[in-house]
Amino acid sequence: MTELYSNEQKQQRALLIGLDSGAYDGERSLAELAELAESAGAEVIGEVLQRADKVNNATYIGSGKLQEVKEFVQREEADLLIFDDELTGMQIRNIEEAAGVDVIDRTMLILDIFAQRARSNEGKLQVELAQQKYLLPRLIGVGRQLSRQQGGIGSRGPGESRLESDRRHIRRRIDALEGELRELEKQRSRIRERRAKNRYITVAIVGYTNVGKSTLLNRLTDAGVLAKDQLFATLDPTARELRLPGGQKAMLVDTVGLLRRLPHQLIQAFHSTLEEAAGADLILNVCDISDEQAPEQLEVTRGLLEELGCGDIPVITVCNKIDRLEAPPPEAERTVCISAKTGEGLDRLLDCIAQCLEETVCRMELKLPYTEGRLLDQLRQQGKVLEEQYENDGIRVAALVDRRLVKPLEPYRI
């Protein structure tokens, strides 16, 4: 994957441009855009926020504001304009002709970051599919991007030869990518089926990007996942074994971070990855409690979980980064305050996970034949054995049993 800039290619100097129509907090969104731009490797040298009732169909911002942007570009030697919204192909072309520099929008920026960070084959295919679908209706207006020879933000991913091809070629490429992803999804489904067959209890970590999900995974499992203070530091899901108090084991799965106003095609592209949460026994909804937007972060996640059909899965709200606060907020039921960085509160979190998982189990009195040792092993790994007595005709066991194990154990119930 091409780097943003190297010794031969200087860092791009970007001007950020937003339009506040009252639909959302324009200043907050522009601040988030700045974080995204810096995560992509750009140097943000200025911001422009126009307040207007509606978007200019030809140039997104008004002609007067566009003239200010042109003067800023010339004066400060900016070489990239990043708009905090999706632009049409015609708008991109008109703005580039007026300003004389490259133009990308919020979606192109996020796609570029995804192209940098995706490591697995599936992640790379998902990114390229989203890029191709985004570019297809905009071919008329992205001539400047397609003719770039130097690379840069917004030019990573499929490559020039593919982007310069006609719509028919891009549609064929989309069909091919979707076919490859369907095959990978079948493989992922088989893995989930094996977990269910082996009665693995799964705990999924979900939440806004850059709230510390990967740091939490590393703390709880020594996973060694890349954890950086930047948006979308990791994209590919990671699963590791989690040991709970009392010896019970579970599979802890990290998922891709979410984002306010995350482009719809990206939600579609990473839907299979996010489906890890849909098959979980328990969900950890993580937020950055030191961020004043923490309630919104939690709502973004809750909304997507509802969309994925996860409404019936138990959720623990995890308020991370309490090390940045003078005093942690009071904890409520199924809400735990932690610092994944320092380890504070992790014991309480593990206890809460164990308690919630116990609610998904039932107590059973069993007499297992000596030939069914595998079932006893599953009970030890996936449940909690309370009593165990070896008798002449079998093993008498009292255990807390995962409800998915009840049916195969029913014949041995006392």
Side-chain angles (χ1 to χ4, degrees), residues 367-410:
K367 176 65 76 69
L368 295 175
Y370 284 106
T371 56
E372 291 295 343
R374 60 180 183 83
L375 284 176
L376 183 58
D377 287 338
Q378 283 186 329
L379 278 175
R380 288 169 177 159
Q381 292 180 13
Q382 315 306 330
K384 185 175 183 179
V385 175
L386 304 175
E387 295 179 22
E388 188 175 334
Q389 295 180 0
Y390 288 80
E391 301 177 351
N392 292 334
D393 56 347
I395 309 168
R396 181 182 289 271
V397 178
L400 295 176
V401 180
D402 185 322
R403 293 194 181 277
R404 293 172 298 182
L405 261 178
V406 169
K407 187 173 181 179
L409 288 172
E410 196 63 43

Side-chain angles (χ1 to χ4, degrees), residues 114-133:
F114 276 35
Q116 291 183 56
R117 308 278 163 76
R119 292 292 176 265
S120 70
N121 183 42
E122 183 177 12
K124 292 174 183 177
L125 290 173
Q126 286 170 328
V127 170
E128 183 179 348
L129 177 61
Q131 287 174 315
Q132 297 282 15
K133 285 186 173 181

Side-chain angles (χ1 to χ4, degrees), residues 5 10 22 29 38 41 53 103 150 253 261 275 302 376:
Y5 59 92
K10 68 183 182 68
S29 187
E38 289 165 0
D53 294 334
V103 172
Q150 76 276 16
V253 182
R261 296 173 59 220
E275 280 180 348
R302 288 190 189 106
L376 183 58

Side-chain angles (χ1 to χ4, degrees), residues 92-320:
I92 292 172
R93 185 181 68 180
N94 292 341
I95 296 167
E96 285 187 337
E97 287 179 353
V101 293
D102 296 331
V103 172
I104 65 173
D105 62 20
R106 182 184 179 89
T107 300
M108 294 169 71
L109 175 62
I110 296 173
L111 284 169
D112 186 272
I113 295 172
F114 276 35
Q116 291 183 56
R117 308 278 163 76
R119 292 292 176 265
S120 70
N121 183 42
E122 183 177 12
K124 292 174 183 177
L125 290 173
Q126 286 170 328
V127 170
E128 183 179 348
L129 177 61
Q131 287 174 315
Q132 297 282 15
K133 285 186 173 181
Y134 179 79
L135 285 165
L136 183 59
R138 292 171 172 81
L139 289 179
I140 189 172
V142 292
R144 184 180 180 90
Q145 279 84 3
L146 303 185
S147 64
R148 292 179 194 166
Q149 299 298 318
Q150 76 276 16
I153 299 174
S155 65
R156 256 176 295 268
E160 286 184 336
S161 61
R162 290 176 186 160
L163 299 181
E164 288 169 345
S165 58
D166 60 15
R167 286 184 176 85
R168 186 178 303 169
H169 178 88
I170 291 181
R171 289 193 182 102
R172 284 199 300 266
R173 182 60 185 160
I174 288 173
D175 290 341
L177 289 167
E178 288 177 336
E180 290 183 65
L181 284 168
R182 279 194 296 270
E183 289 302 311
L184 288 172
E185 174 53 27
K186 289 179 183 177
Q187 295 177 23
R188 187 183 293 278
S189 295
R190 286 194 289 268
I191 291 173
R192 284 197 290 265
E193 287 171 3
R194 283 199 297 272
R195 286 182 191 164
K197 186 177 180 180
N198 294 328
R199 303 300 185 255
Y200 276 111
I201 295 173
T202 304
V203 180
I205 305 175
V206 301
Y208 213 70
T209 183
N210 201 32
V211 296
K213 297 188 304 300
S214 296
T215 302
L216 178 59
L217 180 74
N218 289 338
R219 270 283 182 177
L220 294 177
T221 67
D222 298 321
V225 174
L226 174 68
K228 288 186 176 181
D229 186 18
Q230 60 180 204
L231 303 185
F232 300 116
T234 54
L235 291 180
D236 300 310
T238 303
R240 293 290 186 272
E241 185 179 86
L242 173 67
R243 292 183 177 271
L244 297 168
Q248 188 180 12
K249 297 177 183 178
M251 189 69 69
L252 188 63
V253 182
D254 190 14
T255 60
V256 64
L258 307 177
L259 189 69
R260 187 185 298 104
R261 296 173 59 220
L262 186 66
H264 183 67
Q265 57 264 44
L266 288 184
I267 295 177
Q268 285 186 316
F270 285 85
H271 198 276
S272 60
T273 303
L274 292 167
E275 280 180 348
E276 291 289 342
D281 298 280
L282 178 66
I283 292 173
L284 306 183
N285 186 357
V286 184
C287 72
D288 176 359
I289 195 62
S290 68
D291 190 327
E292 63 182 12
Q293 299 294 318
E296 291 184 30
Q297 294 175 0
L298 293 171
E299 283 305 315
V300 167
T301 308
R302 288 190 189 106
L304 184 57
L305 290 175
E306 287 291 335
E307 184 180 324
L308 291 172
C310 303
D312 295 333
I313 300 174
V315 176
I316 297 175
T317 300
V318 181
C319 300
N320 190 26

